[in-house]
Amino acid sequence: MAESEKPDTRMVEALRASLKEIERLRERNRALTAAAREPVAIVGMACRYPGGVRSPEDLWRLVADGAEGITPFPDDRGWDPDLYDPTPGAPGRSYTREGGFLHDAGDFDAAFFGISPNEALVMDPQQRLLLEGSWEALENAGIDPATLRGSRTGVFAGVMYHDYFGSFGSGSIVSGRVAYTLGLEGPTLSVDTACSSSLVTLHLAAQALRQGECTLALAGGVTVMASPGTYVEFSRQGALSPDGRCRSFADDAAGTGFSEGLGVLVLERSGFRRQPGRCVQRADGAERSLAAAGDPAGTRGGPSVRRGRGRGGRARYRYDAG
């Protein structure tokens, strides 16, 4: 072979390197595509809803029995006893006197989570409920919450009420409260897109899991109406259902109704290696104050949240509507 016809070794090596890089990129693309399409599994859940619902099993029974959770306004929140006025648009009044309420929203075992009674008193009840619900959801998944300290577990919480007197705006840190108390170091987001907040948290949690931002995620939402402001405003607009019940798409629909509640799901990628005995459903506390400095979501090496349920020391925290 003539000298001019011999292949250039540098060109050959460059072509080989290019082919290897193309194959590497193809493999990477296949992996990313598979991850983006990987199903997310629901491995645990917890809830609190009106009608005495304190678990998914209770919710199923409520629905199966055709029962409901609509009750009169709560009497422990400092609301004006003369709040009800049947005349729509009466200033400062509501022409309905019923809704869906968590009448035990003031109950909280602060010591269980290492929170002082004074701090618990000024905590938005939505923070308290989400703490309890997150703990119960993890237990439902067969996970000891204390073992997650320092893990890349994400918290995605939907919240739209920020009206707890003396703690205005603190609804925005409901996710941070859970992450801090349990020592979780994954993404932590509080989401307020009004009625769709919880659904958005589920979307964001699934996205974070698929992108490898966290290995486990808590996703859900919480609502407690500390003040009657929503009722007063919707009464002014004439948009309330007089008996507090929604009848969506029905001929006798007469306005909107409002309800409180809590729902938390524990999510992970379906292909993630799980501990034996974990239930999977396919779905294509620190002792220092929250304000403590130098905290990476939960203090490394700090006191663990006490294990077990131990709900015997629940205290009643009053509402103060100002």
Side-chain angles (χ1 to χ4, degrees):
M1 179 181 294
E3 186 69 24
S4 60
E5 297 177 353
K6 290 183 179 180
D8 188 328
T9 57
R10 291 175 300 178
M11 182 178 295
V12 171
E13 290 302 318
L15 288 172
R16 286 175 178 170
S18 296
L19 291 171
K20 288 181 179 179
E21 179 63 11
I22 289 172
E23 184 56 34
R24 186 190 70 81
L25 291 173
R26 284 175 176 167
E27 186 61 33
R28 176 61 175 164
N29 184 60
R30 283 192 288 266
L32 290 173
T33 301
R37 296 174 178 174
E38 183 177 5
V40 171
I42 299 172
V43 298
M45 60 181 71
C47 63
R48 304 277 181 85
Y49 294 115
V53 172
R54 298 183 64 83
S55 69
E57 293 77 16
D58 288 345
L59 180 60
W60 179 260
R61 282 192 290 270
L62 184 80
V63 175
D65 294 343
E68 66 170 22
I70 301 301
T71 61
F73 285 165
D75 58 7
D76 63 345
R77 304 189 185 183
W79 293 10
D80 187 343
D82 297 323
L83 178 63
Y84 174 69
D85 187 320
T87 306
R93 298 289 182 262
S94 167
Y95 62 83
T96 186
R97 50 186 165 188
E98 294 184 307
F101 297 99
L102 298 177
H103 289 278
D104 59 354
D107 295 347
F108 181 58
D109 185 0
F112 180 82
F113 293 102
I115 295 171
S116 72
N118 288 339
E119 184 177 4
L121 185 62
V122 298
M123 278 175 62
D124 188 319
Q126 295 174 128
Q127 293 182 30
R128 309 175 201 157
L129 278 170
L130 193 65
L131 264 177
E132 292 184 334
S134 297
W135 186 282
E136 292 169 7
L138 290 168
E139 285 187 331
N140 182 259
I143 302 172
D144 179 353
T147 64
L148 294 179
R149 183 169 295 277
S151 68
R152 290 192 301 122
T153 298
V155 182
F156 302 82
V159 58
M160 62 176 286
Y161 285 91
H162 312 273
D163 57 355
Y164 187 58
F165 185 77
S167 192
F168 292 114
S170 67
S172 61
I173 63 170
V174 291
S175 58
R177 173 69 72 173
V178 173
Y180 173 82
T181 303
L182 301 185
L184 310 178
E185 298 183 11
T188 302
L189 286 80
S190 296
V191 177
D192 183 355
T193 57
C195 299
S196 64
S197 298
S198 296
L199 186 60
V200 173
T201 67
L202 186 59
H203 167 74
L204 294 174
Q207 191 176 63
L209 287 166
R210 287 169 172 154
Q211 292 179 351
E213 297 173 359
C214 54
T215 55
L216 193 73
L218 292 163
V222 61
T223 290
V224 175
M225 293 175 280
S227 80
T230 299
Y231 285 97
V232 172
E233 177 59 24
F234 275 76
S235 288
R236 185 186 68 80
Q237 298 177 25
L240 277 180
S241 170
D243 64 1
R245 291 161 175 82
C246 288
R247 297 174 178 83
S248 302
F249 309 111
D251 291 337
D252 59 347
T256 188
F258 293 97
S259 184
E260 301 176 332
L262 159 79
V264 181
L265 300 177
V266 183
L267 307 171
E268 66 181 17
R269 302 193 322 272
S270 63
F272 190 75
R273 182 177 297 175
R274 288 177 291 277
Q275 300 172 359
R278 293 267 293 280
C279 175
V280 176
Q281 300 185 39
R282 290 287 293 273
D284 291 334
E287 292 182 0
R288 298 191 301 159
S289 165
L290 177 68
D295 166 55
T299 305
R300 293 183 185 273
S304 296
V305 179
R306 287 188 293 148
R307 303 186 183 194
R309 288 192 178 275
R311 296 294 187 210
R314 296 174 69 85
R316 183 75 178 174
Y317 291 90
R318 68 181 177 86
Y319 282 83
D320 188 348

